[in-house]
Amino acid sequence: MKILVSGGLGYIGSHTVVELLEKDIEVVIIDNLYNAQKETHDNITKIANKPSTFIQMDATDYDGLKALCQLHHFDGIIHFAGYKAVGESVAKPLMYYYNNLLSTINLARVATEENIQKFIFSSSATVYGDGTSPFSEDMALLERTNPYGETKAMSERILSDASKANPNFNVTLLRYFNPVGAHMSGLIGEVPNGIPNNLMPYVTQVAKGIREKLSVFGNDYPTIDGTGVRDYIHVVDLAKGHVAALLSDKKGVNIYNLGTGKGTSVLELINAFMKENNLNIPYQIVDRRPGDIAISYANAEKALKELQWEAKLTIEDMVRDAWHFEKNVR
Ligand code: UFG
C-alpha cells in the first residue's frame, strides 16, 4: 500500500508517518515547511528505521499534486496540511480560507481524477462549537467562533459532497480532541512557532525556563475546579487512529472522534505534569480567553466499535513524553 501524506513533517503528520512505516506502508510526504522542519524527516527515518520519500510541495499546488499522483499511483491520501492557529485565523481569515480550503479541494480533485479511493482528513472537535460534551459524531454541528474552525467544517462538507458524487471516493473525517505529548524516542514532537497558543507546549516551555509563568485562562467555569476541561490525547494514540482508519474497508463518508472520552482540567493537567516530572510550574489565574468553551470531551465509542481503535496512553504518559521531547529539542 502506498500513501500520500500532506503535512507529513508536522506534529501529528510526523507521528502518523512513523506508525505507517512501522506497518510496512509505503509513504510519500509532502510539506511546504511553513510550520515544520526538514530534519523531522531524518528523525522519522531514525525512529522507524525505514525509508520514506519527502518532497517539499504546497498542497495548494494543483499541477504539482497531479504530476505526483500520476507518478506514484497512491492507494490513499492522508491530509494534514493546514494552518492551525485559532487567533491568527481571526486576524488573517483570507489566508486561512485560501490555504486550508484550496489544499483540501486540490487533493480531493486529484484523488477523484486519479482514482485514489481512500481519503483521510484531519478535522477537529472544534466543529462541535459550543455544544454539550460528550460530543458524538451524529450531533448537529454548531456555529464555529473562528475562521480556523470554519475551514475544518467547510472541508468536511466539501469532502462529503465529493464522496457522494464519486462512489469510489471514500472519505474518513477524523475529529481530533486535544493532541499532546510526543514520540517516546524524544526525536519528534510539537515545535510551535513563537509563543505557544496551546496549553501543553506552554507548560513545557515554562518548565524549561523559556517562559516565566503560565497564565491559566479562567477559574470560574462550571467544572471540577473552575478551569477548562479538555480531552487530551497522546499524539501516538492519535497517529494509530489514522492507521486504523486507513485499514478499515468502510465505504462512503465515515466520521470518527479521536479522543479518550475523559476530561481533564487545566489544573489537573498542570498537577500531573509537576508530579510526574518532579518539577514546579509557576502559574497565575487570569481572565477567560475569548472563544474558549468550558468543557470539551469525546464520546469515543464509535471508533472503538467500527475501527477497533481506542486511546491507551494516560495523562502521565502524555506529560512525561511532552517534557522528554522539550528537553531534547533546540
Ligand atoms: N489554556 C490556559 N493557558 C494557556 C493555554 C491554554 O489556561 O496558556 C487553557 C484553555 O483555556 C483551555 C485549555 O487550556 O481550557 C486547552 O487549551 P488549548 O489552547 O491547548 O486547546 P483548545 O481546546 O483551546 O484548542 C484545541 C486545538 C484547536 C481546536 C480546539 C477545539 O488547539 O486547534 O481544541 O477543538 F480548534
Side-chain angles (χ1 to χ4, degrees), residues 13-275:
S14 59
H15 288 83
T16 302
V17 172
V18 166
E19 297 301 320
L20 293 169
L21 294 175
E22 288 182 348
K23 287 265 187 271
D24 287 323
I25 294 167
E26 228 181 302
V27 178
V28 175
I29 298 164
I30 58 166
D31 201 303
N32 66 1
L33 301 180
Y34 174 80
N35 195 9
Q37 289 73 36
K38 204 163 173 293
E39 302 71 60
T40 298
H41 189 229
D42 303 331
N43 288 329
I44 289 171
T45 312
K46 255 187 232 163
I47 296 168
N49 200 19
K50 282 184 196 132
S52 56
T53 303
F54 165 59
I55 296 158
Q56 186 170 349
M57 185 186 285
D58 196 300
T60 60
D61 171 8
Y62 172 79
D63 294 336
L65 294 175
K66 180 87 173 171
L68 191 68
C69 292
Q70 285 179 336
L71 180 71
H72 284 281
H73 304 292
F74 295 112
D75 300 292
I77 296 177
I78 308 183
H79 176 32
F80 292 103
Y83 296 147
K84 59 174 187 178
V86 172
E88 186 185 51
S89 80
V90 176
K92 299 176 180 170
L94 296 180
M95 177 175 128
Y96 271 68
Y97 286 118
Y98 181 88
N99 182 71
N100 290 8
L101 298 183
L102 194 58
S103 57
T104 299
I105 292 168
N106 281 346
L107 283 164
R109 206 179 138 197
V110 172
T112 52
E113 288 166 356
E114 300 302 320
N115 198 28
I116 299 171
Q117 302 200 352
K118 282 189 176 220
F119 195 102
I120 297 177
F121 176 64
S122 268
S123 190
S124 165
T126 195
V127 298
Y128 293 115
D130 192 5
T132 305
S133 290
F135 295 122
S136 304
E137 293 85 346
D138 56 3
M139 282 168 75
L141 305 184
L142 299 179
E143 184 92 357
R144 270 71 48 188
T145 53
N146 59 77
Y148 158 77
E150 202 58 48
T151 68
K152 291 297 179 189
M154 286 179 173
S155 289
E156 286 199 357
R157 180 64 192 266
I158 290 166
L159 293 169
S160 302
D161 287 346
S163 177
K164 279 178 210 144
N166 297 276
N168 288 333
F169 184 56
N170 302 299
V171 168
T172 308
L173 308 173
L174 299 178
R175 293 178 178 160
Y176 310 154
F177 282 72
N178 288 59
V180 295
H183 194 267
M184 8 315 232
S185 62
L187 290 172
I188 55 173
E190 188 173 13
V191 189
N193 269 340
I195 302 170
N197 295 306
N198 297 117
L199 179 61
M200 186 70 97
Y202 207 104
V203 168
T204 61
Q205 292 198 6
V206 170
K208 204 173 180 180
I210 300 172
R211 320 250 158 231
E212 195 188 326
K213 64 168 102 135
L214 173 75
S215 293
V216 173
F217 299 140
N219 67 349
D220 56 352
Y221 286 109
T223 62
I224 178 172
D225 54 23
T227 64
V229 165
R230 295 291 182 273
D231 186 340
Y232 297 97
I233 172 168
H234 197 295
V235 66
V236 171
D237 272 334
L238 189 70
K240 289 182 199 289
H242 293 73
V243 180
L246 185 69
L247 299 179
S248 153
D249 51 17
K250 289 189 90 63
K251 303 284 178 219
V253 180
N254 290 283
I255 307 178
Y256 299 102
N257 285 339
L258 296 184
T260 64
K262 287 190 244 13
T264 302
S265 76
V266 175
L267 292 182
E268 285 173 330
L269 190 87
I270 299 171
N271 286 327
F273 188 94
M274 296 198 291
K275 189 167 173 223

